Amino acid sequence: QLQACGGGLVGTGGSLRLSCAASGRTFSTYTIGWFRQAPGKEREFVATITYGYSSTRYADSVKGRFTISRDNAKNTVYLQMNSLKPEDTAVYYCAGSKSDLRLTYVGGYDYWGQGTQVTVSS
């Protein structure tokens, strides 16, 4: 089971750190991805980190501003979000996949957390 937290309200240019904690599974053998969904829009890929070599991939829209990392000892993946923009406003979800690939599509992930709201005010 995955649980995302750390969302909140922040002004433009601010920072937030999201956490995705796992329980009940062998966390270190899961690729973890972050996705987001704004009202009226489809869920979109944000970032992912594999379990093998902690390889990462980012959506172009967040590259250079967001950083994904993992701490297997704590069963947690983090998404550090800096220089936030109003267009980053969305519900952010973490998801897990047994594949050791940098998957960028929703269907590649088997397990999903409940989401955490991020709101960036202009």
Side-chain angles (χ1 to χ4, degrees):
Q1 187 166 354
L2 301 175
Q3 184 170 0
C5 64
L9 173 65
V10 65
T12 299
S15 297
L16 285 173
R17 188 177 78 160
L18 305 184
S19 298
C20 176
S23 61
R25 304 187 189 276
T26 309
F27 179 81
S28 62
T29 63
Y30 279 81
T31 287
I32 301 295
W34 284 98
F35 290 76
R36 66 187 182 187
Q37 189 166 19
K41 295 187 177 181
E42 293 187 351
R43 194 168 297 189
E44 66 174 3
F45 168 75
V46 175
T48 186
I49 185 166
T50 64
Y51 64 81
Y53 293 97
S54 292
S55 298
T56 61
R57 176 171 286 177
Y58 298 91
D60 289 342
S61 60
V62 307
K63 203 171 293 183
R65 301 188 296 122
F66 292 9
T67 303
I68 189 171
S69 61
R70 66 189 301 155
D71 185 340
N72 289 335
K74 295 183 178 180
N75 280 7
T76 302
V77 166
Y78 303 99
L79 184 68
Q80 178 67 43
M81 306 187 297
N82 298 328
S83 302
L84 283 162
K85 305 174 182 180
E87 50 264 45
D88 294 319
T89 296
V91 177
Y92 283 70
Y93 299 88
C94 62
S97 171
K98 287 294 290 182
S99 174
D100 193 23
L101 297 173
R102 299 179 298 167
L103 302 175
T104 63
Y105 55 97
V106 171
Y109 291 82
D110 306 301
Y111 309 101
W112 291 82
Q114 85 287 4
T116 184
Q117 176 71 47
V118 171
T119 303
V120 184
S121 63
S122 57

